[in-house]
Structures are given as C-alpha cells and as structure tokens.
Amino acid sequence: MALIHVFEMTSEVSESGHFICRKHTLVDIQFSDVEDLKLEDFNHQNALNHLRILESTTRPGRLAVFLDSAYGLDGTFTSSAVEVLSATPGIPPGSIHAHADAQPGP
C-alpha cells in the first residue's frame, strides 16, 4: 500500500517566489501480490517525478510499477493488480506545501 501526495504544479509564481501548486490530494493505492521489489535511496522526503504502471514486458499477466525519483525513493516492482482505495483532497501534515500559498483540494 502507498499513500501518495499528488498535486498540479502551475507555471504561476506566488509573491514568495514559489510555483503555485493546487488540487492537492492524498491518494491511497494498494498493490497486490508484489514481487521483484527493488527500492533505493529512501529518505525523509521521497518525492516522485512519476509513478508509472505498465503491462510487464518480461512477466506476462503482471504490471510493472516504476517509482521515478525526484528526491529520495526510487524503485521498481511487479504487481498482479493495482487499486485506488481513496483520493482525499488535502495536504499532508508537515508538507513543504503546507504554507499560505498552498491551494488544497480540487
């Protein structure tokens, strides 16, 4: 299971000089029957550039999952199924996005 903070980063810049991010959502994803797990560089932030889920080219009937790192966690694994359990508007506590410029939720 993974809880991932997703958002839309706009090209707009706030008065404080940060890109304005909006539509902050916490997505709870469950991966079933995980195999071939390889995780590297886990740290305090673990920001992803992308979460990619594709049909596996080497394991018929399985999904290939790629956690493409921006900072911290990077990984790959296969899964037999993926399910979104919930999508809740909001910003996680302690996030760098929890400031006055943030625009939570859709």
Side-chain angles (χ1 to χ4, degrees):
M1 193 174 320
L3 183 61
I4 302 175
H5 173 210
V6 300
F7 51 86
E8 174 188 7
M9 186 165 74
T10 71
S11 59
E12 301 169 57
V13 178
S14 69
E15 290 181 19
S16 62
H18 297 96
F19 283 109
I20 294 176
C21 298
R22 59 181 173 222
K23 300 181 183 176
H24 293 268
T25 304
L26 298 173
V27 181
D28 195 355
I29 302 174
Q30 181 170 307
F31 298 95
S32 299
D33 190 27
V34 171
E35 294 179 354
D36 309 313
L37 179 65
K38 295 178 186 140
L39 300 176
E40 297 178 346
D41 301 326
F42 190 85
N43 69 18
H44 65 286
Q45 188 174 7
N46 302 309
L48 298 177
N49 270 330
H50 299 98
L51 166 64
R52 296 181 295 137
I53 303 170
L54 310 168
E55 288 186 40
S56 176
T57 58
T58 59
R59 306 274 315 268
R62 295 190 60 81
L63 301 169
V65 180
F66 301 89
L67 306 171
D68 298 330
S69 176
Y71 182 76
L73 180 65
D74 191 71
T76 61
F77 57 91
T78 64
S79 177
S80 62
V82 179
E83 179 181 1
V84 175
L85 300 177
S86 66
T88 307
I91 299 171
S95 169
I96 62 170
H97 296 281
H99 54 73
D101 298 334
Q103 298 179 5

